[in-house]
Amino acid sequence: MTNSLPLGAFPELTVLHLPLEDSRVQPLVDGLIEEYDSRYGTLFGGAGKEMRRYPAEEFAAPHGALLILQEEGQTVAGGAFRRYDEQTAELKRIWTHAEHRRRGLARRVLTELEAEAERRGYRRIYLTTGPRQPEAKNLYLATGYRPGFDLAADPETVLHLAFTKELSAPQEQRS
């Protein structure tokens, strides 16, 4: 189904911070499994294995967060972070529904996750994406993330494309 609304005329988005077990998060999980399986097959052990790698509590406060964007009650995008180390949040599960891509929703998810990580006291963001997700790689580069790999290398030889981004200093350290 193609969205027939003109560009810029999209309904308002609602940002919801939810536990992984909430039924409104299920479209994100299902969408990621379908996406990972279609792009990678069993390369990394299968999408189901990846989705079970981290327990739900790692994406819950105080060290983690999970959010979705809803439009007219439909989950259209989302993402999460977990504690990587004391100063660093690791972004995971960034997803946009296939029918809602090319609207800036992933960028909005990044903005929301970065702001929440900063509120939680994190100073840096770390993330990895796979070699068969060039749109994700381009998004991270366009939003100020530094690659931790050789951009000229064949992504299939790198496998895990790592990125980092520094967040603003905590308020008490700002001048």
Side-chain angles (χ1 to χ4, degrees):
M1 176 175 126
T2 305
N3 197 326
S4 61
L5 294 172
L7 195 60
F10 296 104
E12 190 171 320
L13 295 169
T14 303
V15 179
L16 300 173
H17 292 258
L18 301 168
L20 184 60
E21 301 83 9
D22 190 291
S23 63
R24 294 168 290 184
V25 176
Q26 197 60 46
L28 178 147
V29 173
D30 293 344
L32 283 169
I33 289 172
E34 182 178 326
E35 189 77 26
Y36 292 163
D37 279 344
S38 71
R39 291 185 190 225
Y40 298 104
T42 60
L43 182 64
F44 295 110
K49 180 179 176 184
E50 169 58 27
M51 295 305 291
R52 291 186 305 275
R53 184 188 316 185
Y54 305 103
E57 51 274 3
E58 289 199 27
F59 301 109
H63 301 299
L66 186 145
L67 65 85
I68 61 168
L69 301 182
Q70 280 201 328
E71 183 175 82
E72 298 180 342
Q74 179 188 8
T75 299
V76 295
F81 67 80
R82 61 186 284 275
R83 182 185 204 122
Y84 185 74
D85 64 34
E86 190 173 305
Q87 299 292 314
T88 310
E90 179 182 17
L91 297 187
K92 304 294 288 178
R93 315 293 187 245
I94 308 296
W95 168 83
T96 301
H97 190 287
E99 294 175 7
H100 295 276
R101 293 183 179 160
R102 309 293 307 158
R103 294 179 44 199
L105 298 178
R107 188 178 291 255
R108 171 77 184 273
V109 168
L110 282 180
T111 300
E112 295 284 343
L113 289 171
E114 289 170 3
E116 186 63 26
E118 194 169 9
R119 282 190 291 273
R120 303 270 178 96
Y122 290 111
R123 306 284 307 276
R124 279 181 299 284
I125 298 286
Y126 169 79
L127 66 89
T128 60
T129 192
R132 297 178 187 165
Q133 294 170 268
E135 57 284 286
K137 177 179 116 179
N138 293 334
L139 170 67
Y140 301 134
L141 290 171
T143 54
Y145 283 80
R146 287 189 328 259
F149 60 94
D150 180 0
L151 285 170
D154 176 358
E156 291 283 330
T157 64
V158 178
L159 287 184
H160 297 284
L161 309 181
F163 292 88
T164 58
K165 185 176 185 177
E166 299 297 319
L167 298 175
S168 301
Q171 279 194 327
E172 62 271 7
Q173 293 183 5
R174 294 181 190 158
S175 15

